[in-house]
Amino acid sequence: MRIWFQKHTVEGRSALLDKMYAEHLAMVTGPGTTVEVHTLPPETYGTALPEHLVGYGEIGLLFGHYFARTAVQAERDGCAAWISGAGQDPGLAAARTRVSIPVVGYGDAVWQAARMERHRLGVLGFIGHLREPITDNIRAAGADLASYQVVEDGRAVVERALDGDFEPFLDAYTQAALRAAEAGAQWLVPAEGIPNVILVHLRVHELHGLPVIDPGGLAIKTAEHLCELRALHITARSTAGYWLRRPPAAAVEHAERVLLGKVIGG
């Protein structure tokens, strides 16, 4: 089973981050599963982290379009499932209309599980601009959000953690977790993928008596589960309806080339 995991970062900007992601994947994938990690093109941004870009809906739409196109490529390359590996789940809805393989979101996997198990969410994020889209996604999923905490000095503590200094990061997230617990949260959820793999690396699975959920790991296990269900013919992808009927690939490629080319070219 091959799973395409589309990240919102650029590979090679942090050797420690790349190492932690590799360790995380080795920890959570089942026998016979290969997770292929794909990142953004290096020229997308020149900084260590992309947090300065994600606060704008217009740019978010561009990221979403790019992510959805990678889902199409994943299906054509023979992958069994595709994951949008960013907290705001860029391209998730569009990808579900464009491919027949299971499509899973980093955030959506948690929101759906929390709704099913009726747990109140305490989201811990270091990028304040993502509060709005992630909160909207939680509400759309029908999950119960008790608290969304933006970690104090979030960018600074994350950057220090990526340099190997974990203590300020852990202190800041522990304090944010306390505020979420006091607001009635039952699950603690890292809003973004980078803090998630740092917490996994530090073996932090509980704070203030509350479980710290691993959205990246849950997304991978959800994708594996959906693929297994289809293999057993327990579930299947519907191709009926306006949004789900598959047009010829050549027609899609032609429309994208002409229409998007006209828009971009003016």
Side-chain angles (χ1 to χ4, degrees):
M1 182 189 303
R2 293 169 53 221
I3 298 174
W4 181 302
F5 192 99
Q6 182 62 49
K7 287 170 53 180
H8 204 284
T9 55
V10 174
E11 187 176 11
R13 297 289 165 86
S14 168
L16 180 57
L17 180 62
D18 294 341
K19 178 177 180 289
M20 288 190 292
Y21 262 107
E23 292 174 348
H24 184 214
L25 295 178
M27 183 188 308
V28 300
T29 50
T33 298
T34 300
V35 178
E36 301 175 0
V37 176
H38 296 262
T39 61
L40 295 172
E43 60 272 18
T44 304
Y45 60 91
T47 55
L49 301 174
E51 82 286 346
H52 62 294
L53 297 175
V54 299
Y56 305 96
E58 183 176 355
I59 296 179
L61 289 174
L62 295 176
F63 279 125
H65 176 69
Y66 176 83
F67 269 52
R69 292 188 70 176
T70 70
V72 174
Q73 189 61 50
E75 183 173 45
R76 292 176 182 173
D77 287 352
C79 289
W82 176 87
I83 296 173
S84 178
Q88 70 274 35
D89 293 332
L92 186 66
R96 284 175 172 156
T97 69
R98 298 194 62 180
V99 301
S100 298
I101 58 176
V103 167
V104 178
Y106 169 99
D108 193 59
V110 179
W111 320 146
Q112 297 297 340
R115 176 186 57 79
M116 182 175 64
E117 298 191 33
R118 299 188 179 184
H119 291 308
R120 295 187 298 273
L121 294 163
V123 179
L124 314 177
F126 82 96
I127 302 176
H129 291 308
L130 290 182
R131 184 205 299 259
E132 181 180 351
I134 290 177
T135 297
D136 287 345
N137 289 344
I138 293 171
R139 290 172 177 163
D144 187 354
L145 176 64
S147 174
Y148 194 117
Q149 295 293 326
V150 178
V151 176
E152 187 174 356
D153 295 325
R155 175 180 176 178
V157 300
V158 168
E159 288 181 337
R160 289 181 65 175
L162 294 179
D163 287 332
D165 183 6
F166 296 113
E167 186 173 352
F169 171 90
L170 190 54
D171 287 345
Y173 270 79
T174 299
Q175 289 301 313
L178 177 60
R179 296 193 297 271
E182 291 174 340
Q186 296 170 311
W187 277 8
L188 299 174
V189 183
E192 305 92 3
I194 295 174
N196 181 58
V197 294
I198 296 173
L199 290 166
V200 170
H201 176 75
L202 296 175
R203 304 294 191 267
V204 176
H205 304 299
E206 182 179 299
L207 289 170
H208 301 293
L210 300 180
V212 178
I213 306 302
D214 171 9
L218 180 57
I220 290 169
K221 302 313 288 186
T222 300
E224 288 181 328
H225 178 61
L226 292 175
C227 290
E228 290 167 356
L229 290 177
R230 290 194 183 183
L232 294 171
H233 303 288
I234 294 175
T235 65
R237 165 76 178 196
S238 172
T239 57
Y242 177 79
W243 291 109
L244 300 178
R245 285 194 295 271
R246 302 266 70 80
V252 175
E253 292 175 357
H254 177 75
E256 285 185 336
R257 185 169 59 253
V258 172
L259 298 177
L260 294 180
K262 291 293 184 182
V263 171
I264 295 172

